Amino acid sequence: MAERRLLVLFGSQTGTAQDTAERIGREAKRRHLRCRVEALDSCDVANLIHEPLVVFVCATTGQGDPPDNMKMFWRFLFRKNLPAGSLCQLDYTVLGLGDSSYPKFNFVAKKLHKRLLQLGGNPLLPVALGDDQHDLGPDAVVDPWLMALWDKILALYPLPPGLEIISPDVRLPPKYTLHYLPEDSPHRDSDLLQLAAPQAAPCELHPFPARVVSNQRVTAQSHFQDVRLIEFDIADSGITFSAGDVVMIQPQNCPEDVQQFCQLLRLEPHRHFVLEPTEPGTPLPPLLPQPCTIQYLITHYLDISCVPRRSFFELLAYFSTNELEREKLQEFSSAQGQEELYSYCNRPRRTTLEALWDFPHTTCAIPADYLLDLIPRIRPRAFSIASSMLAHPERMQILMAVVRYKTRLSKPRRGLCSTWLASLNPEQGDVRVPLWVKKGGMKFPADPTTPVIMIGPGTGVAPFRAAIQERVALGHRGGEGLCPAPHPGEWEAGVGAAEQWECSCLPGWECQGDASSGGQGPAVGVAAGGWPVPLRSRGVFNRPGTVPALPV
């Protein structure tokens, strides 16, 4: 009999594709398949020719771009020198997760399916395209697709004699076992909380602990939005960047939430533990030190402020000792209960911690071993860099709006990363933030004399600030074509006022806050907010987000 082996590979940006891939992995175990679930870039692509059965779960980001954790795989797969029949032994299927409100809906999944066909792969099913815009979300496609997938797989790889599919009523073992260490054993607590400076360029697995130099509010106190200009010291980090690049910041949970979580689950925050995989060959979480404390795990790793997914309630139901709570949890994890779950979680943006408060009998019965199965890790947040290394050597600045809004819940919703960053006060000691840099999607002209029209339709002025600082540092002065024109409310609050620009990044540049588009003047382009920009020579129209640079 052929080996009953399944590889599930995912490309995920926000965690949805990873959550779906892990769901497939759990269902594979119920069918006694040897299953590995990995990010596409964690997989050795050269070994794909030896895999008999692979499920690809791929999200699409931006304007048809692959997620960050599958970009290396993507480049390899589309090499022109790959033989046409190199994957002829591979049975595969592709599940795409996207949003039909975007023009390139599920572009990555469609293109991947087509490329695998070109390389000789054998599709088990047509490519499936989940849609966030559906009333039931992507599960409207995923649920029936999974049923068809298991029928196909079990036809190819029947259950061994004497084995049956493990019932959904049976709880699967956790991915890791958590072993507490004796309280009197020696530990180095400082090692848990300090990030070592990386030997190579900082990255997600080895971020640089940048010191916060300043944290200044740039909007007026009367303004509805709190916008911060935060500066980091990146000396001796090896970090380099240019205008348009992005800094990734790894946030952490606030102490109050960590304390509440420990109280709810009756955990001792200062207890040390080590993790051991339940199955041989399962890698340990790379961002968790060994040994670790419960407090470090919850503060730096578990995303207790995220909106919980369907899989959260599915696993939580197994621990429930209260009949009413168990029935509600089972409803939330069923296909029929997805509309109710959306109304409970997604619409009001209820957090994982708040959901645990609503199921107190179940929460206090959660075994610590299942924490990493139940709650996803905190994902890094991306910010456009708002400064130039030429203007500020060994420094990096970001302009950040603190996320705070109301829903039907009494407590205002707060962004995890922006709230944490805003709370940091460098005057109270040595404050560090784990960060690294990646290339951004916005490209400015290589020739600094090329005229540029910069338009930020709701995307912020941070990358423009970096580009202008760069040009000023190179000795180029602006002309009458520079019009910083933020949202009218921001202008009134002082975010984009000419004084702020001239003081912070535009010495010698003329700011046209009162320009008029009437009369017999030169041809003009219109920036955000309706401010005209004279077009005196051929240049570049640069708009972040959805459209690449266009010549004008």
Side-chain angles (χ1 to χ4, degrees):
M1 179 184 290
E3 186 179 6
R4 306 182 75 255
R5 189 171 86 238
L6 172 65
L7 177 61
V8 183
L9 297 175
F10 63 85
S12 183
Q13 194 71 24
T14 62
T16 304
Q18 180 176 351
D19 183 71
T20 303
E22 289 172 349
R23 174 186 174 185
I24 296 169
R26 291 191 298 271
E27 295 197 14
K29 290 179 182 178
R30 294 190 181 278
R31 289 156 179 82
H32 304 281
L33 287 157
R34 282 184 54 206
C35 182
R36 289 184 4 251
V37 180
E38 296 181 1
L40 278 153
D41 279 355
S42 300
C43 172
D44 186 349
V45 190
N47 287 334
L48 207 59
I49 59 173
H50 303 302
E51 294 292 340
L53 183 58
V54 180
V55 174
F56 296 90
V57 185
C58 304
T60 297
T61 68
Q63 298 302 304
D65 301 318
D68 289 341
N69 61 1
M70 70 173 287
K71 285 184 175 178
M72 289 189 297
F73 168 87
W74 195 251
R75 286 193 293 268
F76 180 91
L77 195 70
F78 284 90
R79 283 166 48 178
K80 294 181 180 179
N81 61 349
L82 293 180
S86 54
L87 296 180
C88 60
Q89 89 303 332
L90 177 70
D91 291 328
Y92 77 92
T93 186
V94 176
L95 169 63
L97 299 176
D99 188 323
S100 59
S101 65
Y102 286 83
K104 293 193 174 182
F105 171 58
N106 268 315
F107 179 79
V108 169
K110 295 173 185 175
K111 192 171 182 180
L112 173 62
H113 177 64
K114 184 178 179 181
R115 180 57 172 161
L116 293 171
L117 280 175
Q118 290 174 348
L119 295 174
N122 310 301
L124 296 179
L125 295 168
V127 59
L129 306 175
D131 185 7
D132 277 343
Q133 292 298 316
H134 193 282
D135 289 343
L136 301 179
D139 285 341
V141 168
V142 174
D143 288 349
W145 173 82
L146 266 178
M147 292 177 64
L149 175 65
W150 296 127
D151 287 344
K152 285 279 188 180
I153 290 177
L154 290 178
L156 290 171
Y157 303 94
L159 287 167
L163 290 180
E164 295 182 355
I165 297 175
I166 299 173
S167 168
D169 298 328
V170 177
R171 185 174 75 197
L172 294 173
K175 192 173 184 180
Y176 303 102
T177 304
L178 190 148
H179 294 284
Y180 285 113
L181 300 178
E183 293 188 21
D184 57 352
S185 60
H187 309 293
R188 295 183 299 170
D189 289 349
S190 59
D191 288 354
L192 297 180
L193 302 175
Q194 295 297 324
L195 292 165
Q199 299 300 312
C203 61
E204 184 168 5
L205 294 182
H206 302 285
F208 177 74
R211 181 174 62 88
V212 179
V213 177
S214 62
N215 186 349
Q216 172 193 0
R217 176 167 177 155
V218 295
T219 43
Q221 291 295 328
S222 58
H223 188 52
F224 75 95
Q225 191 165 47
D226 181 356
V227 177
R228 300 298 179 102
L229 176 64
I230 303 178
E231 184 171 72
F232 303 102
D233 181 356
I234 57 169
D236 303 321
S237 67
I239 289 175
T240 60
F241 59 86
S242 55
D245 286 348
V246 172
V247 60
M248 305 298 295
I249 292 178
Q250 185 66 45
Q252 62 186 54
N253 292 307
C254 71
E256 294 79 11
D257 287 351
V258 173
Q259 183 181 8
Q260 285 185 24
F261 186 87
C262 289
Q263 290 173 349
L264 272 172
L265 275 72
R266 301 174 183 175
L267 297 170
E268 299 178 49
H270 300 295
R271 285 296 301 272
H272 289 74
F273 68 89
V274 293
L275 290 176
E276 290 186 8
T278 304
E279 295 183 1
T282 303
L284 291 171
L287 297 174
L288 271 184
Q290 291 269 64
C292 186
T293 63
I294 292 293
Q295 182 163 337
Y296 187 96
L297 172 70
I298 302 166
T299 301
H300 297 276
Y301 194 85
L302 299 181
D303 195 353
I304 59 177
S305 70
C306 71
V307 177
R309 304 178 191 271
R310 175 180 174 180
S311 58
F312 170 85
F313 296 97
E314 180 182 351
L315 182 54
L316 202 59
Y318 287 111
F319 311 130
S320 185
T321 56
N322 180 280
E323 186 176 351
L324 288 175
E325 288 186 4
R326 184 169 59 251
E327 286 179 359
K328 194 64 180 176
L329 290 167
Q330 289 172 343
E331 179 188 353
F332 283 159
S333 59
S334 68
Q336 298 77 19
Q338 291 314 289
E339 198 168 327
E340 184 74 16
L341 176 62
Y342 186 87
S343 178
Y344 172 72
C345 272
N346 299 75
R347 189 169 288 119
R349 309 304 295 173
R350 194 183 305 270
T351 68
T352 294
L353 180 59
E354 289 169 330
L356 291 173
W357 273 110
D358 288 346
F359 297 90
H361 298 93
T362 304
T363 297
C364 66
I366 297 173
D369 288 345
Y370 281 91
L371 285 177
L372 277 82
D373 296 83
L374 189 66
I375 303 173
R377 75 172 181 90
I378 300 174
R379 293 187 169 270
R381 270 55 168 183
F383 295 90
S384 294
I385 297 173
S387 62
S388 165
M389 294 194 79
L390 298 178
H392 302 280
E394 300 186 338
R395 292 286 191 270
M396 177 192 294
Q397 298 173 345
I398 61 170
L399 273 172
M400 176 199 74
V402 180
V403 178
R404 187 178 187 274
Y405 58 96
K406 287 283 293 180
T407 66
R408 62 180 173 83
L409 300 179
S410 59
K411 187 177 178 181
R413 307 293 89 189
R414 296 179 184 271
L416 172 64
C417 190
S418 62
T419 302
W420 172 61
L421 287 174
S423 72
L424 301 179
N425 185 355
E427 296 178 1
Q428 294 181 350
D430 189 27
V431 181
R432 301 274 174 166
V433 170
L435 55 79
W436 64 99
V437 167
K438 70 173 189 177
K439 286 294 175 185
M442 189 187 306
K443 304 296 180 186
F444 291 92
D447 180 1
T449 64
T450 305
V452 179
I453 301 174
M454 302 177 181
I455 297 181
T459 58
V461 296
F464 300 157
R465 189 177 186 271
I468 295 167
Q469 280 191 4
E470 205 158 274
R471 290 198 169 197
V472 171
L474 289 170
H476 297 280
R477 298 178 63 82
E480 58 182 345
L482 177 69
C483 299
H487 186 278
E490 291 181 339
W491 187 276
E492 292 165 10
V495 176
E499 314 88 70
Q500 160 67 10
W501 282 82
E502 290 184 31
C503 292
S504 63
C505 67
L506 303 176
W509 288 63
E510 179 183 350
C511 296
Q512 295 186 2
D514 193 25
S516 170
S517 58
Q520 299 297 317
V524 298
V526 180
W531 303 91
V533 182
L535 305 180
R536 297 200 178 277
S537 61
R538 186 166 182 81
V540 171
F541 174 98
N542 213 319
R543 172 184 174 185
T546 58
V547 181
L550 303 173
V552 295

